[in-house]
Amino acid sequence: MKKKIVIIGAGFAGLNAAKTLSKNKEIEIVIIDRKNHHLFQPLLYQVATAGLNEADIAYPIRSIFSRKKNITVLKDVVVDFDLENRHVITKSDKIKYDYLIIAAGAEENYFGNTQWKNYAPTIKTLKDAQILRNKILNAFEMAEKAKSENEKKKFLTFIIIGGGPTGVELAGAIGEMTRITLAKDFRNIDPRLSRIILIEAGKRILPSFDEKLSTKATRDLESLGVQVWTNSLVTEINEKGVNIGNEFIEAATVIWAAGIKANKLSQKIPGEKDKSGRIKVNADLSLPNYPEIFICGDITNFEQNGTPLPGIAPVAMQQGKHAAKQILNDLKNKKREPFKYFDKGQLATIGKSKAIAEIKNIKLSGFIAWFTWIFVHILYLTGFKNRLFVMLQWGWSYFTFKKGARLIIDNEN
């Protein structure tokens, strides 16, 4: 009888697990995801800032596996588990499994201030990116017809909270948009006079990078008109703006990029968790006391060299492949192996020809780092069509300074 493997989540971990397992025709695989598409999250900020279209960074899950007859894809929401009887409980069904891979990802973390979400949207899904794109582009439209200088200043102030890669890339893209892309599009405002503030609670942005590269990124942001505020703690966000310590800054557009936590599904899973809700696992990524269950990606707390691995795509991809290989080892009566993350380096882009890269002892910045960033992101995009469109779009943007997705899609009454 065929073994049935259920995979929850078609992100980087789930996708790579399914691809690895699909090579064995003697097993049955079920992928469950609340969306019908795999999303290339590292480029979401490009959609939010009108650099790319939604379809450029998303690909239907069914299309990815259309030729894999041993894979079934279900668009559904997992609500609970019956671990003793090996069932996944969704909104519409109860699904039996022999092995289970939980790769449900992460969600935004407002650190107990959930009310801030109403005023400072985050960017985790395509819908989030659409909302942000509308918000950013509408800010310029509102400024264009503002009746007073104070009102105009409010609409031309953009605050990004969080100095990690997402916050830095968003700030750089908005800076590029105001200084170059939109510079000549309006009659009553000068977008180049926009105020863009990147807020970081720590002592420097991009803290996982070498300090010299972090400093270079700060200088590159400043060249695009971005003010970088470090050692700055946000104490309040409301409909008017942001409190940073005792200082209030009025702004129409506030974006949250300050942290993530494990998907709330982690609360349904027994075992030890960290303060972000991530599940602590065994050396082979299995759940303690449940060898048939593997936890992968952003929902996982896995320590290597005494430090939890970061919630980034390369970690998730390698964990998804590893979990799949351990299941295949079981089926071949082979010994399981411990997971070891191979760090290929880290990249962050600030703007056109501006990026930083750290690959082991090699530290790069400027055009060569930017080109490396483009190559890596194109390489990992799912689907040839997506790669081609993104290359063409970036090429067009690079040589013409135009962005092709500056569409505001409002909810019409």
Side-chain angles (χ1 to χ4, degrees), residues 13 96 100 120 122 133 135 164 203 219 261 301 323 339 365:
K96 179 77 173 173
L100 175 63
T122 188
R133 185 178 65 200
K135 194 174 181 68
K203 64 179 182 179
R219 299 292 169 262
K261 60 183 178 180
N301 178 307
F339 174 70
S365 62

Side-chain angles (χ1 to χ4, degrees), residues 23-151:
K23 297 169 186 176
N24 186 327
K25 307 302 181 185
E26 299 306 312
I27 58 179
E28 180 186 350
I29 304 160
V30 177
I31 301 172
I32 306 171
D33 198 291
R34 61 174 60 236
K35 307 291 185 184
N36 80 327
H37 55 268
H38 166 72
L39 177 63
F40 194 79
Q41 282 193 343
L43 290 181
L44 262 179
Y45 84 95
Q46 287 268 348
V47 175
T49 55
L52 293 171
N53 291 296
E54 290 85 344
D56 295 335
I57 66 164
Y59 203 78
I61 303 166
R62 294 184 185 280
S63 294
I64 297 170
F65 298 109
S66 60
R67 296 185 180 180
K68 302 292 184 180
K69 302 303 181 186
N70 59 339
I71 293 183
T72 300
V73 178
L74 299 177
K75 183 179 180 294
D76 209 337
V77 179
V78 176
V79 295
D80 209 344
F81 302 94
D82 179 356
L83 300 186
E84 304 310 317
N85 294 306
R86 299 192 181 186
H87 282 104
V88 172
I89 302 167
T90 71
K91 279 189 173 180
S92 60
D93 204 356
K94 183 184 284 190
I95 302 166
K96 179 77 173 173
Y97 64 83
D98 294 296
Y99 286 93
L100 175 63
I101 297 176
I102 302 174
E107 57 190 44
E108 71 279 355
N109 188 359
Y110 286 87
F111 304 102
N113 300 289
T114 52
Q115 72 278 10
W116 290 357
K117 186 174 183 178
N118 297 322
Y119 316 112
T122 188
I123 181 166
K124 290 293 293 176
T125 67
L126 279 180
K127 186 66 176 177
D128 293 338
Q130 284 181 332
I131 290 169
L132 275 181
R133 185 178 65 200
N134 286 352
K135 194 174 181 68
I136 292 166
L137 294 176
N138 267 319
F140 294 104
E141 299 294 339
M142 296 301 290
E144 175 77 352
K145 58 186 182 182
K147 302 300 183 185
S148 69
E149 285 303 313
N150 281 341
E151 189 181 11

Side-chain angles (χ1 to χ4, degrees), residues 81-274:
F81 302 94
D82 179 356
L83 300 186
E84 304 310 317
N85 294 306
R86 299 192 181 186
H87 282 104
V88 172
I89 302 167
T90 71
K91 279 189 173 180
S92 60
D93 204 356
K94 183 184 284 190
I95 302 166
K96 179 77 173 173
Y97 64 83
D98 294 296
Y99 286 93
L100 175 63
I101 297 176
I102 302 174
E107 57 190 44
E108 71 279 355
N109 188 359
Y110 286 87
F111 304 102
N113 300 289
T114 52
Q115 72 278 10
W116 290 357
K117 186 174 183 178
N118 297 322
Y119 316 112
T122 188
I123 181 166
K124 290 293 293 176
T125 67
L126 279 180
K127 186 66 176 177
D128 293 338
Q130 284 181 332
I131 290 169
L132 275 181
R133 185 178 65 200
N134 286 352
K135 194 174 181 68
I136 292 166
L137 294 176
N138 267 319
F140 294 104
E141 299 294 339
M142 296 301 290
E144 175 77 352
K145 58 186 182 182
K147 302 300 183 185
S148 69
E149 285 303 313
N150 281 341
E151 189 181 11
K152 189 180 295 184
K153 186 177 179 182
K154 178 186 76 172
F155 285 116
L156 292 180
T157 299
F158 301 86
I159 297 176
I160 301 97
I161 301 166
T166 300
V168 166
E169 288 168 352
L170 274 167
I174 295 172
E176 213 169 48
M177 180 187 288
T178 60
R179 266 59 185 176
I180 302 170
T181 310
L182 302 178
K184 297 178 181 179
D185 283 8
F186 293 87
R187 300 294 173 264
N188 298 322
I189 60 170
D190 183 353
R192 292 170 295 185
L193 299 179
S194 299
R195 190 182 186 193
I196 306 158
I197 306 173
L198 177 62
I199 307 295
E200 167 56 39
K203 64 179 182 179
R204 62 186 176 96
I205 61 170
L206 300 172
S208 64
F209 284 81
D210 177 81
E211 191 166 352
K212 288 183 180 178
L213 289 178
S214 174
T215 301
K216 178 69 170 73
T218 301
R219 299 292 169 262
D220 285 342
L221 284 169
E222 289 171 346
S223 74
L224 291 170
V226 178
Q227 300 173 28
V228 180
W229 291 19
T230 54
N231 296 308
S232 300
L233 188 66
V234 173
T235 54
E236 181 60 37
I237 305 173
N238 57 39
E239 69 278 4
K240 294 181 179 179
V242 177
N243 266 102
I244 302 163
N246 295 320
E247 183 175 356
F248 180 75
I249 301 174
E250 194 172 17
T253 306
V254 182
I255 303 171
W256 185 264
I260 59 172
K261 60 183 178 180
N263 186 295
K264 57 181 174 289
L265 203 58
S266 69
Q267 299 167 13
K268 303 287 186 180
I269 301 165
E272 188 179 358
K273 302 174 183 71
D274 64 15

Side-chain angles (χ1 to χ4, degrees), residues 83 265-274 277-282 286-290 295 299 301:
L83 300 186
L265 203 58
S266 69
Q267 299 167 13
K268 303 287 186 180
I269 301 165
E272 188 179 358
K273 302 174 183 71
D274 64 15
R278 297 188 301 172
I279 303 159
K280 297 190 176 183
V281 295
N282 294 323
S286 64
L287 181 66
N289 302 316
Y290 295 90
I295 316 291
I299 201 170
N301 178 307

Side-chain angles (χ1 to χ4, degrees), residues 12 15 19 38-44 52-59 64 317 373-392 394:
F12 289 109
L15 198 69
K19 285 180 176 179
H38 166 72
L39 177 63
F40 194 79
Q41 282 193 343
L43 290 181
L44 262 179
L52 293 171
N53 291 296
E54 290 85 344
D56 295 335
I57 66 164
Y59 203 78
I64 297 170
M317 293 168 77
W373 180 89
I374 283 184
F375 175 78
V376 169
H377 283 70
I378 293 281
L379 182 67
Y380 285 111
L381 270 176
T382 298
F384 173 78
K385 182 180 175 183
N386 294 53
R387 294 190 185 108
L388 180 62
F389 281 173
V390 170
M391 275 196 296
L392 291 173
W394 276 340

